[in-house]
Amino acid sequence: MAVNQYWKKWWAKIQKWLALRHLALIVVLTLVPSFLWMMNRLTNELIGSRNLLEHTYQVLARIEHLRTDIDALELGRISYFVSHNIESLQQTNHARGLLGVEIEELKALTSNHYLHRKLNQFEHVAKALLEETARNIEGLDLGNTTYTAFSHQAQMLMLQARSLLEEMHRHENSLLSSRMDSSNSKELEWEHMLGLTGISLLLMLGFILIHMYREIVQHRRLEVTLREIQGQNQVTLRNQALMGELSSLLQACSSVDESLGVIRQFAMQLFNVDAGALYLFRESRNQLEERMSWGIGLKSEPVFQPESCWALRRGEIHVMNGQPESLTCRHVQVIEGVCCLCVPIIAQGNVLGVLYLENHHEQVFDDVQLKLASTVTNQVALTLASMKMQETLRNLSVRDPLTGLFNRRYMEESLQRELAIAQRKQRQLGVVILDLDHFKNFNDTFGHDAGDFLLREVGALLVSNSRSSDIVCRFGGEEFVLIFPETEAEIMMERTEHLRKVIFALQLQHFGRSLGQVSASFGLAFFPVHGSTADELLRLADKALYRAKAAGRNRLEMAARP
């Protein structure tokens, strides 16, 4: 669930970031083609402007050629009149030949209506000038032409021609100036657009580089995140496997102490902590005691009151972050930098104890550890509740509900088992049956509540004066059976006599009322002296008990040999 929320959060950020990047990319991709298109248009316009300038220069050059041809024609004509030099005549003829060609080339070069009109006028004047020059040369050769006649008409035509050429020249210079300004303007605009295009390209390149850098960083972050998630998944799978194995082993445990050993072993593997402990309530329910622990430097008390733990008081997990101002349980020693965790162990609404964990060096508990602690605690709670229920059922099946001693069924099973052990080891075994004297009169005198009280006290007395290997049972009514495994006859006699004296020394009071003197009669039988089976030993011990009753009570009798 936490992983899904984490991915949703990251996916929302990625979508927002992608939207901004897409918007920026659209802007850049729109600007760059626009600038490139404008750059291409300005380049074409600049080329066209340059072509017009080149054309104007060519027209001006042709006009200058025409002016040169007119001047050469005039110079050759005058030189020939003065010197009659054939070279001057050749110069004149050459200029006459070039003049027509230059006019045609200039016409082909330009499409300007004004210039075409002027060229037509110039062509007409030039034609007249050429005809006049030809007549002057012919008249000069015949000797019937004077200088005045020679020069007057030609000079007039020459002036007209030069005037037309000057007008065309001024017109082209005006076009040249206008086109020069336009070309310079286009060039400046082209330079500005070139700068903007370069800036946009740099921006696009920068955007691409930044985008690539962010993609690399994002991929690295995602890679790190995926590695962390993969590590968390591996830890989760490992914990799940350990939890499954823990559950299987706990189900196979037969006692609380055995299950605590299993829990300790797996807690050391599951929890990455410096120390930990498991506390369970004592039978009195007024204190919790440490039943198992691991690690070093545990800062919690081994025994404490339930009110000392905030987790028990609140019924939920309580975290202590290691700071002096944090709310710390009283059973924990406050040390800066030590983080602690208390998890209540609750099963079916019944609080069984506390799981305590601590980290040193300011290692704060994260959500994964909290969830794991809660899961393990739930498993432990179910196991302990099941163990207690099994123990309760076991006690109900083998214990007497009034005295808490083993019942007759357990006695018979235990006697069969101990007899088999005694036979295998060739050891002695003793069976004692005792009966409280005048118990019916006691009930009639003091009541059944007092009688039950007496039975409980006698049962507790028998247990407190027996060894851990001895088996103390309530046989029925006011009769009790004691089984002494691997006990010699003399020792058994001494211990039984001691029990008789202790019972006889009882001074009981029930609700402030003295219950008077209490005594008991005992019958003893031994394996293998008196019998080899449970029935034989019980029967002979019972006969000895009746002999003790007949002999005056408050005594013990040995079974007779068969």
Side-chain angles (χ1 to χ4, degrees):
M1 188 66 182
V3 174
N4 291 334
Q5 292 178 351
Y6 176 82
W7 274 112
K8 288 180 180 179
K9 181 179 178 181
W10 264 101
W11 180 243
K13 290 183 178 180
I14 290 173
Q15 285 181 326
K16 182 178 179 180
W17 183 70
L18 287 175
L20 294 176
R21 285 195 310 160
H22 289 163
L23 180 60
L25 183 61
I26 290 172
V27 172
V28 172
L29 292 179
T30 303
L31 288 177
V32 171
S34 300
F35 286 150
L36 290 176
W37 177 81
M38 295 179 67
M39 188 74 184
N40 181 64
R41 182 179 63 83
L42 288 175
T43 301
N44 293 332
E45 291 179 358
L46 183 59
I47 293 173
S49 178
R50 294 292 185 181
N51 290 336
L52 289 176
L53 284 176
E54 183 67 24
H55 177 266
T56 304
Y57 282 123
Q58 291 178 2
V59 171
L60 288 173
R62 295 297 180 185
I63 292 175
E64 288 298 324
H65 288 168
L66 288 175
R67 182 178 293 174
T68 301
D69 292 340
I70 292 296
D71 291 341
L73 179 64
E74 178 66 14
L75 180 61
R77 187 180 66 82
I78 295 174
S79 296
Y80 185 74
F81 178 81
V82 174
S83 63
H84 296 279
N85 189 354
I86 189 64
E87 291 180 359
S88 298
L89 182 60
Q90 290 177 354
Q91 181 181 354
T92 301
N93 292 332
H94 180 70
R96 291 170 62 184
L98 288 177
L99 190 60
V101 176
E102 294 289 345
I103 291 173
E104 293 300 326
E105 288 181 356
L106 186 57
K107 282 185 176 181
L109 187 62
T110 183
S111 60
N112 192 315
H113 296 290
Y114 175 81
L115 198 59
H116 267 275
R117 182 167 56 81
K118 292 299 181 180
L119 275 175
N120 289 333
Q121 293 177 5
F122 177 78
E123 185 180 12
H124 179 73
V125 173
K127 185 177 180 181
L129 180 60
L130 291 176
E131 291 176 354
E132 182 64 24
T133 300
R135 285 195 298 271
N136 289 337
I137 292 174
E138 185 181 358
L140 181 63
D141 291 339
L142 295 176
N144 56 1
T145 301
T146 64
Y147 179 77
T148 302
F150 179 81
S151 63
H152 178 71
Q153 185 64 28
Q155 287 180 354
M156 293 295 295
L157 293 173
M158 183 65 68
L159 290 174
Q160 291 182 10
R162 287 177 176 172
S163 176
L164 289 171
L165 288 174
E166 186 65 28
E167 289 179 5
M168 287 189 290
H169 192 273
R170 283 198 303 271
H171 180 267
E172 286 300 317
N173 275 333
S174 176
L175 286 177
L176 178 63
S177 177
S178 175
R179 289 173 178 176
M180 184 69 73
D181 293 340
S182 176
S183 178
N184 291 335
S185 176
K186 296 292 183 183
E187 185 176 359
L188 183 60
E189 188 176 354
W190 185 84
E191 290 177 355
H192 290 166
M193 188 56 62
L194 178 63
L196 291 176
T197 304
I199 292 173
S200 65
L201 289 175
L202 289 176
L203 288 176
M204 185 173 70
L205 180 61
F207 178 82
I208 292 173
L209 292 177
I210 292 174
H211 173 72
M212 292 175 62
Y213 173 76
R214 288 181 175 177
E215 285 289 339
I216 293 173
V217 172
Q218 186 70 19
H219 281 301
R220 288 181 178 176
R221 288 178 180 174
L222 289 176
E223 184 178 356
V224 172
T225 303
L226 289 175
R227 287 180 180 177
E228 291 177 354
I229 294 175
Q230 185 178 7
Q232 293 176 359
N233 290 337
Q234 291 177 352
V235 172
T236 302
L237 292 175
R238 171 182 171 273
N239 291 341
Q240 288 178 351
L242 290 174
M243 287 295 297
E245 188 175 357
L246 172 62
S247 177
S248 177
L249 289 174
L250 289 177
Q251 290 177 4
C253 292
S254 58
S255 65
V256 174
D257 291 335
E258 189 178 20
S259 64
L260 289 175
V262 174
I263 293 170
R264 182 181 185 277
Q265 178 183 356
F266 279 85
M268 297 174 64
Q269 302 180 57
L270 287 169
F271 298 117
N272 185 23
V273 295
D274 296 310
L278 183 67
Y279 294 86
L280 296 179
F281 273 101
R282 289 179 172 177
E283 292 296 332
S284 59
R285 299 290 296 179
N286 61 347
Q287 286 183 326
L288 289 97
E289 63 178 345
E290 178 187 313
R291 297 294 299 274
M292 70 90 175
S293 63
W294 71 93
I296 57 176
L298 194 68
K299 304 301 184 295
S300 178
E301 298 292 335
V303 179
F304 59 89
Q305 304 293 328
E307 295 79 11
S308 300
C309 183
W310 283 104
L312 292 177
R313 294 168 68 177
R314 298 168 60 199
E316 59 184 31
I317 295 177
H318 183 67
V319 181
M320 294 155 276
N321 58 13
Q323 300 301 323
E325 64 274 8
S326 64
L327 191 61
T328 306
C329 297
R330 291 199 300 270
H331 65 89
V332 179
Q333 183 180 0
V334 180
I335 297 179
E336 188 173 356
V338 177
C339 299
C340 308
L341 176 68
C342 290
V343 186
I345 304 174
I346 304 174
Q348 299 175 353
N350 185 24
V351 181
L352 305 178
V354 172
L355 175 65
Y356 172 77
L357 305 174
E358 68 180 28
N359 277 329
H360 304 159
H361 312 296
E362 298 183 354
Q363 297 178 5
V364 181
F365 291 95
D366 55 22
D367 294 337
V368 176
Q369 289 177 313
L370 294 177
K371 184 177 180 180
L372 179 61
S374 178
T375 304
V376 172
T377 303
N378 291 335
Q379 183 65 46
V380 170
L382 292 175
T383 300
L384 294 179
S386 177
M387 289 290 177
K388 288 185 176 296
M389 183 177 294
Q390 291 177 13
E391 185 176 352
T392 301
L393 294 175
R394 190 183 306 114
N395 289 333
L396 290 176
S397 63
V398 300
R399 295 277 183 180
D400 174 57
L402 177 62
T403 61
L405 302 177
F406 292 113
N407 58 21
R408 181 171 181 170
R409 174 185 173 188
Y410 183 82
M411 182 274 297
E412 292 174 350
E413 293 177 354
S414 299
L415 183 56
Q416 294 285 353
R417 182 182 67 252
E418 295 299 332
L419 279 173
I421 296 174
Q423 288 176 354
R424 185 172 65 253
K425 294 183 177 181
Q426 296 182 355
R427 301 288 180 85
Q428 290 187 354
L429 179 142
V431 176
V432 176
I433 299 179
L434 68 93
D435 183 86
L436 296 178
D437 296 332
H438 305 293
F439 186 71
K440 183 177 183 301
N441 294 333
F442 185 90
N443 277 340
D444 294 339
T445 303
F446 299 103
H448 289 283
D449 289 340
D452 292 341
F453 174 71
L454 175 61
L455 292 174
R456 285 194 295 269
E457 291 298 320
V458 171
L461 185 68
L462 294 175
V463 171
S464 62
N465 287 273
S466 300
R467 302 172 301 180
S468 59
S469 59
D470 297 337
I471 301 172
V472 182
C473 307
R474 184 185 179 193
F475 196 61
E478 66 274 17
E479 289 186 333
F480 298 86
V481 174
L482 290 86
I483 301 174
F484 296 97
E486 301 183 11
T487 306
E488 299 294 332
E490 294 78 6
I491 297 175
M492 180 178 173
M493 291 286 291
E494 293 177 0
R495 295 183 61 207
T496 306
E497 180 64 22
H498 173 72
L499 291 174
R500 185 193 66 78
K501 294 178 179 180
V502 170
I503 294 174
F504 188 68
L506 279 175
Q507 296 293 328
L508 299 177
Q509 288 188 350
H510 185 250
F511 293 107
R513 182 183 181 186
S514 176
L515 299 181
Q517 193 70 47
V518 180
S519 65
S521 301
F522 294 79
L524 294 79
F526 293 96
F527 168 84
V529 178
H530 300 116
S532 59
T533 65
D535 292 339
E536 289 177 345
L537 292 174
L538 290 173
R539 180 171 52 82
L540 293 174
D542 190 55
K543 287 183 178 181
L545 171 63
Y546 277 104
R547 288 201 307 273
K549 291 278 189 181
R553 295 182 172 86
N554 191 24
R555 59 181 294 141
L556 61 90
E557 289 288 339
M558 179 76 67
R561 292 179 180 270

